[in-house]
Structures are given as C-alpha cells and as structure tokens.
Amino acid sequence: PTATIAYSGSPYCASGTAVALQTGQAGGTYHSTTGLVVDASTGTVDLVASTAGTYTVTYEFSNGTCSSTTETSITINALPMATIAYSGSPYCASGTAVVLQTGQAGGTYHSTTGLVVNASTGTVDLVASTAGTYTVTYDFSNGTCSSTTEASITINALPTATIAYSGSPYCASGTAVALQTGQAGGTYHSTTGLVVDASTGTVDLVASTAGTYTVTYEFNDGTCSSTTETSITINALPTATIAYSGSPYCASGTAVVL
C-alpha cells in the first residue's frame, strides 16, 4: 500500500496545532520521538505541548494484506518570551506610569477604552485615563514567531475639593473665611505676606500685607492626594491723621482741626 504525509506549514511557531495532510492508504498510526506530542490516529501535533525542534513523524499503515511506512519532517520554533509589569499599581490619577518590560523588545502595547497607553513604550497617561482596573497586552515578535503577554494596572481617582474667598477683594480689616467644598481635612498655605490658618483657611486681613495672593489647599482621601487653588486680594486701608494743636483750649471761640 502507498501513502504520503506532510505538515505543510512547517516550520511552525509553538502555538496551536499542526494538522497532518495524508493521502493514500488511510487508517494508519503516527508516531515520533520524545518531545513531539502527536495524535497517533490523526497525526495532529500539539505545538504548545511539544518541545521546540525538528522531528521525523512516521506513519505506519496497512491494507489488510501488506504493511508499509512513510515519513515526513516537522519543525517547531519556540515562541519569543517577554514580561511586562506596572510595579506602582494601584496608581493615583496623576502623572504617568512606566512599564517594566523584560525579554523580547520592539512590541506594541494596547488595552481597552479608558486607558491611555503609548503603543510603543507602554507608558500610561494616568491623568487622561479613566479610573479603573485594566489589562494591558504586549504583542511582540522575534521576526519568526509572535506572542503576547499581559499585565494589570489599577488607577484610583483623585479626591476633589474647591475653595473660595467670596468677599475678595477685601479691605485690611477683620478676617476672611474660606468657603470649602469636597474633601475635608486638608491644609492651607500661601506665600509670604498672607497670614492664613493652615487648618481652617481663615485669613487674618489685619496682619497680612495688602496684595493679591494664591491660596493652595492640599488634601487627600487616605489613598490619593490632590490640590486646589484660589485667589484672594487685600486692599490697604486708607490713612489719615487729625490734631487740635492748641489743646487744651479755653471755652472761647473755635478750635480748628489740622
């Protein structure tokens, strides 16, 4: 009896399966050497479970009267290897997150909608991305075979707050109270000249120097931190002096103020 077998895709990359193309006498059995995982009845090779290398596959067959064999070669190339990681995860939504990549370089990065990731470097724009947990996939190739690897990244939203001094501009008298919304428990500060209470944001208008200042409120929710700013203007009080230079006076005529 006669038969032929072939693995037309050889050399293969170590992914999926390779199907034997068989002609002639059917019903035979397939076998090879250690390292190649081949189905004895179909000749299908498990490329993932097999060890990379070149093998001879033998097909033994019979027509019920006579027996024969035929052979073919199959080559499996190992997949390239790589790993990626975002070691700072979970991140707060500020700045960028740099990927740590090992193994095969030159690949591309992608993820689902909401994560802004640079396709060539894997750097994630934490500010432009939507808070949440994402899977980043790295696709890479060694010029012969391709593969992928994945890593998870979590972004936590920043807390939010606003502050305002609704009476600005103020005159240099009394105090100005900060109107604060959102995340409480933060601290206030400004530049030299403005006397502001660090815990309440209240400004001492008398002790402060007249001018325009930016007040910064720093706050956090126990996981992430953020800041917000507002402006306050203090106008100096007008000044004047008066005197009655002839005092004490006698109760006669008038006294003119200077």
Side-chain angles (χ1 to χ4, degrees):
T2 60
T4 64
I5 59 170
Y7 293 95
S8 60
S10 185
Y12 293 91
C13 294
S15 174
T17 58
V19 177
L21 302 177
Q22 185 267 326
T23 65
Q25 184 65 52
T29 59
Y30 297 81
H31 63 87
S32 187
T33 51
T34 302
L36 191 74
V37 181
V38 56
D39 187 286
S41 60
T42 65
T44 298
V45 174
D46 186 332
L47 299 169
V48 178
S50 298
T51 303
T54 298
Y55 300 89
T56 298
V57 178
T58 301
Y59 177 60
E60 298 180 349
F61 53 98
S62 170
N63 61 5
T65 302
C66 296
S67 299
S68 188
T69 64
T70 188
E71 295 178 341
T72 194
S73 176
I74 183 172
T75 297
I76 305 173
N77 292 321
L79 296 181
M81 301 292 293
T83 65
I84 60 170
Y86 292 92
S87 61
S89 185
Y91 294 91
C92 294
S94 175
T96 57
V98 177
V99 68
L100 301 177
Q101 186 267 325
T102 65
Q104 184 67 51
T108 58
Y109 299 81
H110 61 89
S111 188
T112 49
T113 302
L115 191 75
V116 181
V117 56
N118 186 289
S120 60
T121 66
T123 298
V124 173
D125 186 332
L126 299 170
V127 178
S129 297
T130 304
T133 297
Y134 301 89
T135 297
V136 177
T137 302
Y138 177 58
D139 297 330
F140 54 97
S141 171
N142 60 7
T144 301
C145 295
S146 299
S147 190
T148 64
T149 189
E150 296 178 340
S152 178
I153 182 173
T154 298
I155 305 173
N156 292 321
L158 296 182
T160 59
T162 65
I163 59 170
Y165 292 95
S166 60
S168 185
Y170 293 91
C171 292
S173 174
T175 57
V177 176
L179 302 177
Q180 186 268 324
T181 65
Q183 184 66 52
T187 58
Y188 298 80
H189 63 86
S190 188
T191 50
T192 302
L194 191 74
V195 181
V196 56
D197 187 286
S199 59
T200 66
T202 298
V203 174
D204 186 332
L205 300 170
V206 178
S208 298
T209 303
T212 297
Y213 301 89
T214 297
V215 178
T216 302
Y217 177 60
E218 298 181 347
F219 53 97
N220 75 83
D221 59 4
T223 301
C224 295
S225 300
S226 190
T227 63
T228 188
E229 295 179 341
T230 194
S231 177
I232 183 173
T233 297
I234 304 172
N235 292 323
L237 295 179
T239 59
T241 62
I242 59 171
Y244 292 94
S245 61
S247 183
Y249 292 93
C250 294
S252 170
T254 59
V256 177
V257 66
L258 301 177

